[in-house]
Amino acid sequence: MNFKHTIVNIIGFLLIVTNQNLNGQNLKKLPPDSLWVDSVFKSLTLQEKIAQLIMIRVNPDGNKKNFIESNKQIIDYKVGGIAFFKGSPTIQANWINYWQQSAIVPILVAIDGEWGVSMRYDSTILFPRQLTLGAIKNDSLIYKMGVSIGNQCLRLGIHVNFAPVADINSNPKNPVINSRSFGENKFEVTKRSSLYMAGMQHQGIIACAKHFPGHGDTDTDSHYELPLINHSKEAIDTVDLYPFKKLISEGVKSIMIAHLCIPALDSSKKSVSSLSFPIVTTLLKEKLNFKGLVFSDAMDMKGVSSLYKPGTAEIKALMAGIDILILPPDLPKTIDSIMKAVEKKKIPQELIDSKCKKVLLYKYGAGLNKYKPVEIENLYEDLNQPEDIYLQHQLFEKAITLVKNKNNLLPISDPVKYSLATVLIGDSVENIFQRMLLNYGKMDKFFLPKYAEKVKSDSLLKALNKYDYIIVSIHNTSSLANFKFGVSQRNIDFIDSLRKTKKIILNIFGNPYILDRFANSDNIESIIVSYQDNEITQAYSAQMIFGADKFEGKLPVTASSEFPF
C-alpha cells in the first residue's frame, strides 16, 4: 500500500469516528461536517475555544438590565451556548435572532424544559410533570408529548432540552427530584424516559438524560448542599444506572452529570460526581461507552460551588470529562483560570481542542452551519396548536388515579339518592372542580383555609353532620416533602376528625406522597389522586366521580404502606 493510499484511509477512519461521536451510535451515512468544523475551529483563539465549552443563563423577561448583562457576556466573551430560563417566547426569539447574527460562532441554545417550554415561558402549553406522566398507562401519549415539545423547541430556535429526568425517585423525602421523576420503578422510568427522548430527538432536538449517575435517593437538595448517595456499587449498577444504560443504547445525544457525593464510585476527599474522572470518564465514557455530549449540572449550585472556588471547579469538571460547563458563577474568572491552566500545562491543549471540535460538531448536527432566524410572526399561535392542547388534556386526564373505592361507591350513578356536600381545602373561592360537581346534582359548598383556626374547623364539622357523603378536595399543595407537600397539619386533623363520623370522598390535587400524611383511611370511602391542580384535572376528576369519564391512572410510586406502587 502506497503512502498516499494510507493517508486517505486514515482520513476516512477519522471522519467515521467523528461522525459516530455526533449521535453516540454508528451511522450509515457520513455527513459533510468536517470542513465546517475545521474552518470554524481554526479561526478561534484559545480564549474563544474555551468559551465554546460554556453555557450561560439568560432570562428573557424584558428586563433591560438582564439583557445588558447577558449581551456583555455573549459579545465580550463569545460564549458557545445560552440556557434560557423565565420569560417570554417573543422576547426570547428576538434576543436569539440578535445574538445569532452578532456571534462569531453560532450559539447552541438550550432550555431546562422538563415539562415543556411552559416550564420557563408564559403563554405556552403546560404539559404534566414527569410523576404525573408516570401514572399514565398509554405510553404512546408520552412519545407524542416528546414530539410536541420538540416542535415547540424548534419553533423557538432551541437546540437542546435538558430532559428527560431519568432519576428513579426511590426516596419520598427527595427535596429536589420527586415529582420531576417518572416514579420509583426502574423499568417504568426507563420506558417513559426513552419515549420522551425519542419524541424530541425525532424532531431534531438534542435530548439530555439527567442526572447521571442517579439523583433519586437523596434527602438533600444539591442547589444548596452536596447530597450523599450511600448505595453500593452493585445497587447503583442494577438500579440507578439502568435508565441511563438503556437511553445510551438507544442513542440519547447528551447526558447531564449531577453534583453528588458517591463514595462507592469515588471515595476521594471532597469528591463531587460532576468533577470526578472515575464517574464521568471511566464509568460513563469508557465502561458505558457514551460518545455524546456531556453537560455539567449548573456550576452555580451550592453542591459544588460551596466546595470549590470559581475556576477551580470548572477546571476539575473539564479534566473529569465534562464537555460543556453550565452556568459558571463567575464567567471571567472561569475563562481566565482555564486559560492559565492550559498555559501552565495543567490542562492539555489537546483536551480543549477536542472538546471544542466536539461542540462544533453538535452545532453542525443542529443545523447551525445554516442558521435561520426565528420567525416572530404567528409565534404564539404555533406554540399553542389545537392538537397539542388536545394532547395536554389527554395526558392530565389519563393520569388521574382512583386509589381506593370502598364498596364501589364511585362512580356515583344516582346523586339524587344522597345528601351531598363539597369542601374545598386550601382555597376560599369556588373553582372548576366544585363548579363541575354542581352540574351533576344539588350539593352545598364549603371552604376551609389551609391554616384555619380550630374553632372554624369545629364549626364546619358540625355543619357537615347532616350530609350522607362529603366530597373533600385538597388544593394549593406543594410537590416538596420539605414543605409537607403543602398540606397543613390543621387540614390533616380536620379530615381525620371528619372521617370518624362521616363517609367522605377525598380528591388530592397534588403529590401522591400526601397520602402518607394520613394515619389511616378508615371511612374514607374513595380516594382520588389528581396529581396537579389546574382547570383540566379539576374538570376531568369531577366528571369521573359521576361516571361521565373513567379513571385510568395508576400510582407511579409507593405513596404509603397502604397505597403501594
Side-chain angles (χ1 to χ4, degrees):
M1 184 182 292
N2 62 36
F3 178 74
K4 182 177 179 182
H5 192 198
T6 302
I7 293 296
V8 169
N9 283 342
I10 291 172
I11 292 172
F13 172 76
L14 290 174
L15 283 174
I16 291 171
V17 170
T18 299
N19 183 49
Q20 288 174 349
N21 285 343
L22 178 60
N23 292 304
Q25 57 187 359
N26 293 324
L27 290 179
K28 293 180 180 179
K29 188 176 180 181
L30 190 68
D33 51 21
S34 59
L35 289 177
W36 185 82
V37 170
D38 288 345
S39 64
V40 173
F41 175 79
K42 288 174 182 177
S43 72
L44 302 177
T45 64
L46 173 59
Q47 178 177 323
E48 290 165 348
K49 291 174 184 175
I50 292 168
Q52 286 299 302
L53 314 181
I54 294 173
M55 187 171 275
I56 64 166
R57 181 193 304 271
V58 175
N59 293 313
D61 55 4
N63 186 308
K64 187 176 180 181
K65 182 181 178 183
N66 286 344
F67 174 80
I68 291 172
E69 289 176 355
S70 299
N71 188 62
K72 180 175 175 60
Q73 291 180 317
I74 292 166
I75 302 302
D76 291 359
Y77 294 99
K78 304 178 179 64
V79 292
I82 54 179
F84 278 106
F85 287 84
K86 207 66 180 173
S88 154
T90 303
I91 293 172
Q92 183 240 274
N94 281 311
W95 286 11
I96 283 180
N97 288 343
Y98 177 79
W99 285 323
Q100 292 287 27
Q101 290 164 7
S102 308
I104 60 166
V105 179
I107 298 168
L108 192 67
V109 180
I111 187 172
D112 191 14
E114 295 168 13
W115 48 91
V117 298
S118 65
M119 183 173 172
R120 303 299 174 188
Y121 299 148
D122 60 36
S123 308
T124 52
I125 296 171
L126 175 72
F127 285 113
R129 287 182 174 237
Q130 288 192 187
L131 191 61
T132 307
L133 298 173
I136 295 173
K137 296 177 183 176
N138 184 349
D139 298 331
S140 66
L141 292 175
I142 296 168
Y143 172 80
K144 291 178 181 178
M145 186 193 77
V147 170
S148 177
I149 291 172
N151 286 331
Q152 290 180 334
C153 288
L154 286 176
R155 184 64 181 86
L156 284 161
I158 295 167
H159 314 108
V160 183
N161 186 14
F162 295 135
V165 174
D167 301 315
I168 299 163
N169 199 77
S170 54
N171 188 340
K173 295 181 180 179
N174 196 318
V176 64
I177 303 301
N178 211 296
S179 65
R180 297 164 62 196
S181 165
F182 284 112
E184 70 176 39
N185 181 277
K186 70 178 184 179
F187 302 108
E188 297 293 331
V189 169
T190 301
K191 180 169 59 175
R192 286 164 172 75
S193 296
S194 176
L195 289 164
Y196 187 3
M197 175 270 289
M200 286 193 293
Q201 291 198 168
H202 284 174
Q203 304 313 109
I205 297 301
I206 298 171
C208 182
K210 62 185 187 184
H211 305 79
F212 187 89
H215 209 316
D217 188 13
T218 63
D219 54 13
T220 303
D221 188 342
S222 51
H223 290 87
Y224 304 107
E225 54 186 307
L226 184 66
L228 172 68
I229 299 288
N230 257 329
H231 290 186
S232 67
K233 187 175 289 188
E234 292 73 25
I236 292 169
D237 185 62
T238 57
V239 179
D240 301 284
L241 289 178
Y242 187 87
F244 295 99
K245 290 177 183 178
K246 183 68 172 176
L247 289 169
I248 289 169
S249 73
E250 294 180 355
V252 67
K253 291 186 178 181
S254 72
I255 284 178
M256 179 179 286
I257 312 296
H259 303 314
L260 300 167
C261 175
I262 314 174
L265 300 181
D266 187 345
S267 59
S268 60
K269 187 179 179 181
K270 291 174 67 176
S271 170
V272 181
S273 52
S274 55
L275 315 183
S276 169
F277 187 90
I279 292 173
V280 181
T281 294
T282 305
L283 176 58
L284 177 62
K285 293 188 172 183
E286 294 176 358
K287 184 178 178 181
L288 301 184
N289 197 33
F290 180 63
K291 305 299 181 186
L293 269 182
V294 181
F295 291 94
S296 73
D297 206 341
M299 297 300 292
D300 59 1
M301 292 165 64
K302 296 295 184 182
V304 65
S305 64
S306 63
L307 298 175
Y308 296 96
K309 294 179 180 178
T312 302
E314 286 76 12
I315 289 171
K316 285 181 173 292
L318 292 176
M319 294 295 286
I322 297 293
D323 296 317
I324 297 182
L325 301 162
I326 305 295
L327 316 185
D330 188 331
L331 179 63
K333 180 70 174 176
T334 294
I335 293 178
D336 184 61
S337 297
I338 296 171
M339 283 187 66
K340 288 178 179 176
V342 173
E343 291 163 359
K344 293 177 180 178
K345 302 191 183 306
K346 292 181 179 179
I347 296 180
Q349 173 78 51
E350 294 79 9
L351 184 73
I352 300 298
D353 289 350
S354 65
K355 290 181 185 298
C356 180
K357 287 180 180 179
K358 186 176 181 180
V359 171
L360 292 174
L361 194 62
Y362 272 81
K363 289 187 174 185
Y364 181 93
L368 280 167
N369 59 313
K370 297 178 180 178
Y371 171 74
K372 294 180 180 178
V374 179
E375 180 62 53
I376 305 300
E377 189 175 356
N378 297 325
L379 181 59
Y380 282 97
E381 291 83 355
D382 293 343
L383 293 174
N384 291 276
Q385 291 291 311
E387 58 268 31
D388 294 330
I389 294 171
Y390 175 62
L391 174 62
Q392 172 201 33
H393 279 246
Q394 282 185 297
L395 290 164
F396 279 114
E397 176 195 11
K398 302 302 182 184
I400 297 171
T401 305
L402 182 62
V403 298
K404 181 181 180 182
N405 195 22
K406 191 176 180 180
N407 299 322
N408 292 316
L409 172 64
L410 297 185
I412 298 174
S413 57
D414 189 4
V416 297
K417 283 175 58 179
Y418 307 103
S419 174
L420 301 171
T422 169
V423 179
L424 263 59
I425 292 180
D427 210 340
S428 58
V429 294
E430 182 184 84
N431 59 17
I432 293 294
F433 176 67
Q434 207 169 47
R435 201 173 304 150
M436 185 65 74
L437 290 174
L438 295 174
N439 288 332
Y440 294 94
K442 182 181 181 303
M443 62 190 78
D444 294 326
K445 302 179 296 181
F446 299 91
F447 306 89
L448 188 69
K450 185 176 291 190
Y451 301 104
E453 296 294 335
K454 190 174 184 302
V455 63
K456 183 173 180 62
S457 298
D458 290 344
S459 174
L460 182 54
L461 285 171
K462 290 179 181 177
L464 294 170
N465 196 47
K466 64 180 181 179
Y467 299 95
D468 296 324
Y469 289 101
I470 319 296
I471 301 173
V472 179
S473 56
I474 302 176
H475 301 272
N476 292 319
T477 62
S478 167
S479 63
L480 302 177
N482 288 359
F483 298 103
K484 297 183 178 179
F485 303 110
V487 183
S488 73
Q489 188 58 47
R490 291 176 185 175
N491 290 161
I492 296 293
D493 292 342
F494 169 80
I495 295 171
D496 192 47
S497 297
L498 183 63
R499 72 167 179 83
K500 291 175 182 176
T501 59
K502 304 302 299 181
K503 294 181 178 180
I504 65 177
I505 298 162
L506 179 65
N507 194 343
I508 298 172
F509 288 94
N511 196 307
Y513 289 125
I514 290 172
L515 287 169
D516 197 40
R517 298 285 310 280
F518 299 97
N520 60 66
S521 65
D522 290 350
N523 259 37
I524 301 181
E525 297 295 293
S526 300
I527 300 178
I528 303 159
V529 177
S530 295
Y531 298 96
Q532 292 180 242
D533 194 5
N534 56 52
E535 292 187 355
I536 300 172
T537 56
Q538 289 177 19
Y540 281 115
S541 61
Q543 293 173 67
M544 291 171 188
I545 288 173
F546 292 99
D549 199 353
K550 287 195 266 184
F551 294 101
E552 294 186 33
K554 62 178 182 178
L555 277 180
V557 292
T558 295
S560 69
S561 58
E562 191 177 357
F563 301 106
F565 163 79

